[in-house]
Amino acid sequence: MKIDTSLNMPQLPEALSQAGLQFTVATEEDFDEIMAMSQDIYGGLDYLPTRYTSWLQDTNRTVILARKHGKVIALESVCVIDDGETMLVEGLRVAPQERGKGVAGVLLRFCSELVKSRYPEVKVCRLTRDDQLGPKDFEKYRIITKQGILLMRFRAEDLKLHLSEFGLEGDNESTLSAFCSSPPPVRLDHTAIQQLYLNSDLMHGVLPNATIIQDWQPFKLLPSNMAILLKKEIDWMVDDMSNPTVASLCTFPFRVPIGDDWYYLNIDVFGKDLALARQQFLYHLQRHTATLKGHVMCQMFLDPPLWKAMAEFCHNTLSVELVKEYTEQCVVECDVI
Ligand SMILES: CC(C)(COP(=O)(O)OP(=O)(O)OC[C@H]1O[C@@H](n2cnc3c(N)ncnc32)[C@H](O)[C@@H]1OP(=O)(O)O)[C@@H](O)C(=O)NCCC(=O)NCCS
């Protein structure tokens, strides 16, 4: 979805037009103002600085700003996926001094009106929430799935040392497979991904609700979604092509603005087998930290019952620092009416 910045406004419900906000499509020039209101977001793990330019260029996506007296006070991004049926909202943020006044609600309703006016076939809105949802939220939302969030940090050089103590150093996959009793996982190329995820129903038992959740974004198993996913720099793995039990997606490390030389790795693991999940995690770590120097924040999303054992493994065996206790994210949807 791409609309020009002059933004033909949809007819707004009265409550929205009374909120005294102006809405515009974000441009490159707005970057500094957006960053100025984003400083405390996600404990420094804000992905927007890295993604902003590509979000603006993404033909599926529109980044909307709310302004008050011309000044940017909130941002939300909307993306139409699932063959045009789903509006995905991401990146929501409100300037600290404007929080708690209903701005997020107004912006979300504006985005919904905008998408409906341009994409009448959109039926549902999907989003991911990692805050505490209450009964009022569940009147509005249906849960697609829940994932445990395991957030850890380490210095790439230290992790490599620990991996080497276990014979996991470098890119020597045979030593790694010696540590893990199962055969090595299979890294998938584009053809194998299409074959497994689209041309068979083998992944239905592995993925929650037949949904690929990558970096908070839920995608149904459709060719149009796969085209979006395959443009991203991601490593895809399964334990076994012909009978998969566990699958994982790992982003290539990207910089985050916590400080100099801080990188972020996002790993989504699907499936319920701890040993296989751990094995794929180790393969991703080995591959993506081999040439890295500096600090790494690694966020793993996994089936909630696996969280505790995985956290103990990370802390006790890999000696990485766990940044927080158990938290979870809910992928939810509501009807667009
Ligand atoms: C979370 C945040 C955007 C809320 O902004 P706010 O203007 O204070 O929120 P409001 O006063 O409008 O109140 C809440 C409304 O936003 C919705 N909301 C709150 N957090 C939300 C989220 N993460 N995603 C989508 N909707 C959210 C609430 O459900 C409610 O909707 P309703 O009006 O339909 O009931 C704001 O506190 C913020 O910028 N926090 C830091 C960034 C952040 O955590 N963003 C969450 C991204 S997942």
Side-chain angles (χ1 to χ4, degrees):
M1 182 175 66
K2 198 73 192 169
I3 45 182
D4 75 62
T5 56
S6 58
L7 199 60
N8 278 334
M9 296 294 168
Q11 194 64 42
L12 290 181
E14 204 179 339
L16 280 190
S17 49
Q18 281 176 356
L21 302 177
Q22 303 87 47
F23 301 96
T24 58
V25 175
T27 65
E28 287 286 356
E29 289 77 62
D30 298 311
F31 182 79
D32 290 342
E33 249 190 294
I34 293 164
M35 288 310 122
M37 69 162 186
S38 304
Q39 272 164 8
D40 60 340
I41 284 181
Y42 306 131
L45 270 184
D46 188 10
Y47 51 87
L48 195 57
T50 320
R51 306 268 166 86
Y52 188 69
T53 302
S54 65
W55 272 20
L56 296 188
Q57 288 160 0
D58 185 349
T59 49
N60 262 357
R61 182 187 295 274
T62 304
V63 184
I64 308 283
L65 302 178
R67 295 173 182 272
K68 196 168 158 185
H69 309 306
K71 198 171 169 327
V72 175
I73 61 155
L75 173 145
E76 178 64 303
S77 141
V78 284
C79 209
V80 176
I81 57 165
D82 295 344
D83 282 350
E85 277 198 355
T86 304
M87 154 187 167
L88 180 62
V89 298
E90 287 180 275
L92 178 65
R93 63 205 52 212
V94 170
Q97 73 279 10
E98 298 292 341
R99 288 179 197 161
K101 302 178 189 172
V103 171
V106 172
L107 178 57
L108 284 164
R109 263 169 282 152
F110 175 79
C111 292
S112 187
E113 293 295 328
L114 182 73
V115 170
K116 267 193 298 179
S117 71
R118 287 171 167 73
Y119 295 86
E121 69 280 18
V122 166
K123 294 190 179 63
V124 295
C125 173
R126 286 191 166 190
L127 62 148
T128 305
R129 296 277 297 254
D130 63 1
D131 51 338
Q132 195 68 42
L133 296 176
K136 188 167 162 267
D137 296 303
F138 289 113
E139 283 170 20
K140 189 163 70 173
Y141 296 132
R142 298 181 286 276
I143 293 199
I144 310 298
T145 190
K146 278 185 188 181
Q147 291 173 300
I149 305 174
L150 181 49
L151 182 62
M152 66 201 90
R153 70 179 156 219
F154 49 84
R155 273 186 60 229
E157 292 88 337
D158 294 341
L159 182 80
K160 270 177 270 181
L161 274 180
H162 281 290
L163 292 177
S164 68
E165 280 168 24
F166 296 99
L168 306 177
E169 78 277 25
D171 55 4
N172 184 349
E173 297 198 347
S174 61
T175 51
L176 187 46
S177 63
F179 178 77
C180 309
S181 57
S182 318
V186 185
R187 234 179 39 243
L188 304 174
D189 63 17
H190 284 199
T191 312
I193 294 166
Q194 303 262 8
Q195 188 186 331
L196 195 56
Y197 282 81
L198 296 180
N199 302 339
S200 82
D201 54 12
L202 287 169
M203 295 309 291
H204 288 215
V206 180
L207 298 170
N209 240 316
T211 307
I212 303 173
I213 299 142
Q214 195 279 318
D215 211 2
W216 314 287
Q217 301 177 325
F219 293 97
K220 292 182 184 168
L221 297 176
L222 294 166
S224 57
N225 287 341
M226 204 47 97
I228 298 172
L229 281 165
L230 290 182
K231 281 191 201 137
K232 302 182 180 202
E233 286 194 315
I234 299 173
D235 261 338
W236 299 60
M237 269 186 201
V238 289
D239 58 313
D240 178 354
M241 264 296 276
S242 55
N243 183 24
T245 309
V246 167
S248 59
L249 278 67
C250 179
T251 59
F252 289 20
F254 58 88
R255 283 180 185 272
V256 278
I258 309 176
D260 289 341
D261 294 330
W262 274 92
Y263 294 87
Y264 176 63
L265 263 188
N266 182 88
I267 305 177
D268 290 286
V269 180
F270 307 107
K272 298 181 183 309
D273 185 302
L274 176 67
L276 292 174
R278 198 173 55 195
Q279 186 193 38
Q280 292 192 22
F281 168 58
L282 286 172
Y283 268 77
H284 287 305
L285 280 185
Q286 181 204 41
R287 183 168 150 76
H288 289 289
T289 59
T291 54
L292 216 55
K293 286 191 175 63
H295 302 273
V296 182
M297 274 282 184
C298 176
Q299 184 145 244
M300 180 171 14
F301 297 91
L302 74 174
D303 197 32
L306 299 189
W307 190 94
K308 189 166 181 288
M310 189 68 94
E312 282 167 5
F313 171 75
C314 291
H315 182 258
N316 300 339
T317 307
L318 297 180
S319 299
V320 303
E321 183 186 348
L322 302 184
V323 179
K324 52 185 184 185
E325 289 299 311
Y326 178 81
T327 54
E328 60 186 15
Q329 70 174 14
C330 278
V331 181
V332 295
E333 70 173 22
C334 59
D335 295 324
V336 172
I337 30 170

mmCIF file of all heavy atoms in Angstrom, residues 56-83:
data_model
loop_
_atom_site.group_PDB
_atom_site.id
_atom_site.type_symbol
_atom_site.label_atom_id
_atom_site.label_comp_id
_atom_site.label_asym_id
_atom_site.label_seq_id
_atom_site.Cartn_x
_atom_site.Cartn_y
_atom_site.Cartn_z
ATOM 1 N N LEU A 56 9.633 3.134 4.710
ATOM 2 C CA LEU A 56 9.083 4.169 3.819
ATOM 3 C C LEU A 56 9.057 3.693 2.369
ATOM 4 O O LEU A 56 8.208 4.106 1.589
ATOM 5 C CB LEU A 56 9.903 5.464 3.911
ATOM 6 C CG LEU A 56 9.911 6.203 5.253
ATOM 7 C CD1 LEU A 56 10.592 7.552 5.106
ATOM 8 C CD2 LEU A 56 8.509 6.392 5.819
ATOM 9 N N GLN A 57 10.009 2.809 2.044
ATOM 10 C CA GLN A 57 10.077 2.341 0.642
ATOM 11 C C GLN A 57 9.188 1.122 0.393
ATOM 12 O O GLN A 57 8.965 0.747 -0.760
ATOM 13 C CB GLN A 57 11.525 1.976 0.293
ATOM 14 C CG GLN A 57 12.401 3.202 0.161
ATOM 15 C CD GLN A 57 13.877 2.876 0.293
ATOM 16 O OE1 GLN A 57 14.255 1.712 0.493
ATOM 17 N NE2 GLN A 57 14.704 3.897 0.183
ATOM 18 N N ASP A 58 8.705 0.531 1.442
ATOM 19 C CA ASP A 58 7.924 -0.704 1.337
ATOM 20 C C ASP A 58 6.562 -0.396 0.695
ATOM 21 O O ASP A 58 5.763 0.369 1.251
ATOM 22 C CB ASP A 58 7.759 -1.245 2.769
ATOM 23 C CG ASP A 58 7.063 -2.582 2.824
ATOM 24 O OD1 ASP A 58 6.519 -2.996 1.789
ATOM 25 O OD2 ASP A 58 7.071 -3.189 3.906
ATOM 26 N N THR A 59 6.302 -0.992 -0.452
ATOM 27 C CA THR A 59 5.068 -0.661 -1.176
ATOM 28 C C THR A 59 3.820 -1.203 -0.476
ATOM 29 O O THR A 59 2.711 -0.784 -0.771
ATOM 30 C CB THR A 59 5.111 -1.229 -2.613
ATOM 31 O OG1 THR A 59 5.502 -2.591 -2.510
ATOM 32 C CG2 THR A 59 6.068 -0.462 -3.493
ATOM 33 N N ASN A 60 4.008 -2.131 0.446
ATOM 34 C CA ASN A 60 2.875 -2.705 1.190
ATOM 35 C C ASN A 60 2.478 -1.877 2.401
ATOM 36 O O ASN A 60 1.529 -2.229 3.082
ATOM 37 C CB ASN A 60 3.306 -4.059 1.767
ATOM 38 C CG ASN A 60 2.849 -5.188 0.920
ATOM 39 O OD1 ASN A 60 2.177 -4.980 -0.066
ATOM 40 N ND2 ASN A 60 3.227 -6.379 1.308
ATOM 41 N N ARG A 61 3.298 -0.901 2.739
ATOM 42 C CA ARG A 61 3.202 -0.299 4.073
ATOM 43 C C ARG A 61 3.021 1.209 3.996
ATOM 44 O O ARG A 61 3.529 1.862 3.093
ATOM 45 C CB ARG A 61 4.525 -0.610 4.801
ATOM 46 C CG ARG A 61 4.609 -0.126 6.213
ATOM 47 C CD ARG A 61 6.006 -0.331 6.746
ATOM 48 N NE ARG A 61 6.393 -1.727 6.843
ATOM 49 C CZ ARG A 61 6.135 -2.523 7.872
ATOM 50 N NH1 ARG A 61 5.489 -2.055 8.911
ATOM 51 N NH2 ARG A 61 6.540 -3.766 7.876
ATOM 52 N N THR A 62 2.297 1.762 4.960
ATOM 53 C CA THR A 62 2.239 3.211 5.115
ATOM 54 C C THR A 62 2.542 3.551 6.573
ATOM 55 O O THR A 62 2.022 2.909 7.486
ATOM 56 C CB THR A 62 0.838 3.752 4.766
ATOM 57 O OG1 THR A 62 0.520 3.327 3.452
ATOM 58 C CG2 THR A 62 0.818 5.262 4.800
ATOM 59 N N VAL A 63 3.406 4.527 6.757
ATOM 60 C CA VAL A 63 3.745 4.973 8.109
ATOM 61 C C VAL A 63 3.015 6.295 8.342
ATOM 62 O O VAL A 63 3.198 7.260 7.606
ATOM 63 C CB VAL A 63 5.271 5.157 8.268
ATOM 64 C CG1 VAL A 63 5.604 5.531 9.713
ATOM 65 C CG2 VAL A 63 6.012 3.887 7.859
ATOM 66 N N ILE A 64 2.150 6.302 9.344
ATOM 67 C CA ILE A 64 1.293 7.458 9.597
ATOM 68 C C ILE A 64 1.772 8.198 10.852
ATOM 69 O O ILE A 64 2.085 7.558 11.868
ATOM 70 C CB ILE A 64 -0.170 7.017 9.861
ATOM 71 C CG1 ILE A 64 -0.673 6.094 8.740
ATOM 72 C CG2 ILE A 64 -1.096 8.222 10.042
ATOM 73 C CD1 ILE A 64 -1.044 6.790 7.489
ATOM 74 N N LEU A 65 1.808 9.502 10.768
ATOM 75 C CA LEU A 65 2.168 10.314 11.935
ATOM 76 C C LEU A 65 0.959 11.099 12.409
ATOM 77 O O LEU A 65 0.153 11.552 11.588
ATOM 78 C CB LEU A 65 3.266 11.319 11.550
ATOM 79 C CG LEU A 65 4.555 10.735 10.985
ATOM 80 C CD1 LEU A 65 5.504 11.876 10.605
ATOM 81 C CD2 LEU A 65 5.212 9.796 11.996
ATOM 82 N N ALA A 66 0.842 11.246 13.717
ATOM 83 C CA ALA A 66 -0.137 12.183 14.270
ATOM 84 C C ALA A 66 0.644 13.409 14.724
ATOM 85 O O ALA A 66 1.718 13.285 15.314
ATOM 86 C CB ALA A 66 -0.863 11.548 15.453
ATOM 87 N N ARG A 67 0.118 14.569 14.400
ATOM 88 C CA ARG A 67 0.780 15.826 14.783
ATOM 89 C C ARG A 67 -0.162 16.683 15.603
ATOM 90 O O ARG A 67 -1.371 16.666 15.373
ATOM 91 C CB ARG A 67 1.169 16.619 13.526
ATOM 92 C CG ARG A 67 2.205 15.946 12.681
ATOM 93 C CD ARG A 67 2.387 16.715 11.370
ATOM 94 N NE ARG A 67 3.348 16.049 10.520
ATOM 95 C CZ ARG A 67 4.666 16.273 10.571
ATOM 96 N NH1 ARG A 67 5.152 17.146 11.412
ATOM 97 N NH2 ARG A 67 5.476 15.607 9.779
ATOM 98 N N LYS A 68 0.452 17.417 16.515
ATOM 99 C CA LYS A 68 -0.311 18.386 17.293
ATOM 100 C C LYS A 68 0.408 19.722 17.108
ATOM 101 O O LYS A 68 1.629 19.786 17.341
ATOM 102 C CB LYS A 68 -0.289 17.962 18.762
ATOM 103 C CG LYS A 68 -1.305 18.629 19.619
ATOM 104 C CD LYS A 68 -1.330 17.855 20.942
ATOM 105 C CE LYS A 68 -1.875 18.637 22.065
ATOM 106 N NZ LYS A 68 -1.760 17.900 23.334
ATOM 107 N N HIS A 69 -0.312 20.728 16.686
ATOM 108 C CA HIS A 69 0.290 22.036 16.351
ATOM 109 C C HIS A 69 1.507 21.822 15.438
ATOM 110 O O HIS A 69 2.547 22.444 15.619
ATOM 111 C CB HIS A 69 0.717 22.791 17.619
ATOM 112 C CG HIS A 69 -0.364 22.879 18.652
ATOM 113 N ND1 HIS A 69 -1.628 23.377 18.379
ATOM 114 C CD2 HIS A 69 -0.401 22.500 19.959
ATOM 115 C CE1 HIS A 69 -2.375 23.313 19.470
ATOM 116 N NE2 HIS A 69 -1.661 22.762 20.440
ATOM 117 N N GLY A 70 1.394 20.893 14.527
ATOM 118 C CA GLY A 70 2.453 20.647 13.543
ATOM 119 C C GLY A 70 3.572 19.741 14.039
ATOM 120 O O GLY A 70 4.391 19.262 13.259
ATOM 121 N N LYS A 71 3.631 19.476 15.335
ATOM 122 C CA LYS A 71 4.740 18.698 15.902
ATOM 123 C C LYS A 71 4.360 17.206 15.956
ATOM 124 O O LYS A 71 3.241 16.865 16.362
ATOM 125 C CB LYS A 71 4.989 19.212 17.329
ATOM 126 C CG LYS A 71 6.310 18.852 17.917
ATOM 127 C CD LYS A 71 6.474 19.618 19.228
ATOM 128 C CE LYS A 71 7.628 19.181 20.083
ATOM 129 N NZ LYS A 71 8.046 17.843 20.108
ATOM 130 N N VAL A 72 5.298 16.324 15.583
ATOM 131 C CA VAL A 72 5.004 14.885 15.590
ATOM 132 C C VAL A 72 4.838 14.404 17.030
ATOM 133 O O VAL A 72 5.721 14.599 17.866
ATOM 134 C CB VAL A 72 6.155 14.088 14.926
ATOM 135 C CG1 VAL A 72 5.898 12.590 15.041
ATOM 136 C CG2 VAL A 72 6.331 14.492 13.471
ATOM 137 N N ILE A 73 3.686 13.780 17.323
ATOM 138 C CA ILE A 73 3.497 13.251 18.689
ATOM 139 C C ILE A 73 3.200 11.747 18.705
ATOM 140 O O ILE A 73 3.153 11.151 19.775
ATOM 141 C CB ILE A 73 2.396 14.007 19.475
ATOM 142 C CG1 ILE A 73 1.049 13.887 18.765
ATOM 143 C CG2 ILE A 73 2.774 15.466 19.721
ATOM 144 C CD1 ILE A 73 -0.099 14.064 19.736
ATOM 145 N N ALA A 74 2.997 11.143 17.537
ATOM 146 C CA ALA A 74 2.744 9.693 17.547
ATOM 147 C C ALA A 74 2.977 9.111 16.159
ATOM 148 O O ALA A 74 2.899 9.822 15.146
ATOM 149 C CB ALA A 74 1.314 9.404 17.993
ATOM 150 N N LEU A 75 3.271 7.800 16.158
ATOM 151 C CA LEU A 75 3.516 7.089 14.890
ATOM 152 C C LEU A 75 2.869 5.716 14.936
ATOM 153 O O LEU A 75 2.833 5.057 15.982
ATOM 154 C CB LEU A 75 5.028 6.949 14.690
ATOM 155 C CG LEU A 75 5.498 6.083 13.511
ATOM 156 C CD1 LEU A 75 6.785 6.661 12.906
ATOM 157 C CD2 LEU A 75 5.740 4.620 13.905
ATOM 158 N N GLU A 76 2.370 5.297 13.808
ATOM 159 C CA GLU A 76 1.880 3.929 13.647
ATOM 160 C C GLU A 76 2.125 3.534 12.192
ATOM 161 O O GLU A 76 2.065 4.371 11.293
ATOM 162 C CB GLU A 76 0.382 3.878 13.980
ATOM 163 C CG GLU A 76 -0.271 2.534 13.801
ATOM 164 C CD GLU A 76 0.258 1.463 14.734
ATOM 165 O OE1 GLU A 76 1.470 1.207 14.723
ATOM 166 O OE2 GLU A 76 -0.549 0.876 15.471
ATOM 167 N N SER A 77 2.427 2.249 11.996
ATOM 168 C CA SER A 77 2.624 1.788 10.627
ATOM 169 C C SER A 77 1.560 0.739 10.300
ATOM 170 O O SER A 77 1.218 -0.085 11.155
ATOM 171 C CB SER A 77 4.031 1.205 10.530
ATOM 172 O OG SER A 77 4.035 0.071 9.728
ATOM 173 N N VAL A 78 1.034 0.795 9.100
ATOM 174 C CA VAL A 78 0.043 -0.202 8.680
ATOM 175 C C VAL A 78 0.510 -0.885 7.408
ATOM 176 O O VAL A 78 1.056 -0.255 6.507
ATOM 177 C CB VAL A 78 -1.367 0.399 8.450
ATOM 178 C CG1 VAL A 78 -2.050 0.689 9.744
ATOM 179 C CG2 VAL A 78 -1.328 1.635 7.576
ATOM 180 N N CYS A 79 0.239 -2.167 7.355
ATOM 181 C CA CYS A 79 0.727 -2.995 6.267
ATOM 182 C C CYS A 79 -0.435 -3.913 5.880
ATOM 183 O O CYS A 79 -1.075 -4.467 6.783
ATOM 184 C CB CYS A 79 1.826 -3.819 6.895
ATOM 185 S SG CYS A 79 3.130 -4.336 5.911
ATOM 186 N N VAL A 80 -0.708 -4.057 4.601
ATOM 187 C CA VAL A 80 -1.788 -4.972 4.222
ATOM 188 C C VAL A 80 -1.165 -6.281 3.759
ATOM 189 O O VAL A 80 -0.345 -6.298 2.838
ATOM 190 C CB VAL A 80 -2.691 -4.348 3.135
ATOM 191 C CG1 VAL A 80 -3.747 -5.338 2.679
ATOM 192 C CG2 VAL A 80 -3.364 -3.099 3.682
ATOM 193 N N ILE A 81 -1.530 -7.370 4.432
ATOM 194 C CA ILE A 81 -0.948 -8.687 4.132
ATOM 195 C C ILE A 81 -2.064 -9.715 3.938
ATOM 196 O O ILE A 81 -3.236 -9.340 3.857
ATOM 197 C CB ILE A 81 0.026 -9.145 5.255
ATOM 198 C CG1 ILE A 81 -0.699 -9.180 6.613
ATOM 199 C CG2 ILE A 81 1.245 -8.259 5.318
ATOM 200 C CD1 ILE A 81 0.051 -9.957 7.691
ATOM 201 N N ASP A 82 -1.706 -10.984 3.930
ATOM 202 C CA ASP A 82 -2.671 -12.089 3.820
ATOM 203 C C ASP A 82 -3.591 -11.908 2.609
ATOM 204 O O ASP A 82 -4.842 -11.960 2.732
ATOM 205 C CB ASP A 82 -3.511 -12.215 5.116
ATOM 206 C CG ASP A 82 -2.671 -12.603 6.326
ATOM 207 O OD1 ASP A 82 -1.532 -13.060 6.140
ATOM 208 O OD2 ASP A 82 -3.165 -12.436 7.452
ATOM 209 N N ASP A 83 -3.020 -11.669 1.443
ATOM 210 C CA ASP A 83 -3.798 -11.458 0.204
ATOM 211 C C ASP A 83 -4.799 -10.318 0.336
ATOM 212 O O ASP A 83 -5.887 -10.353 -0.240
ATOM 213 C CB ASP A 83 -4.564 -12.736 -0.179
ATOM 214 C CG ASP A 83 -3.665 -13.773 -0.829
ATOM 215 O OD1 ASP A 83 -2.506 -13.431 -1.160
ATOM 216 O OD2 ASP A 83 -4.121 -14.917 -0.999
#
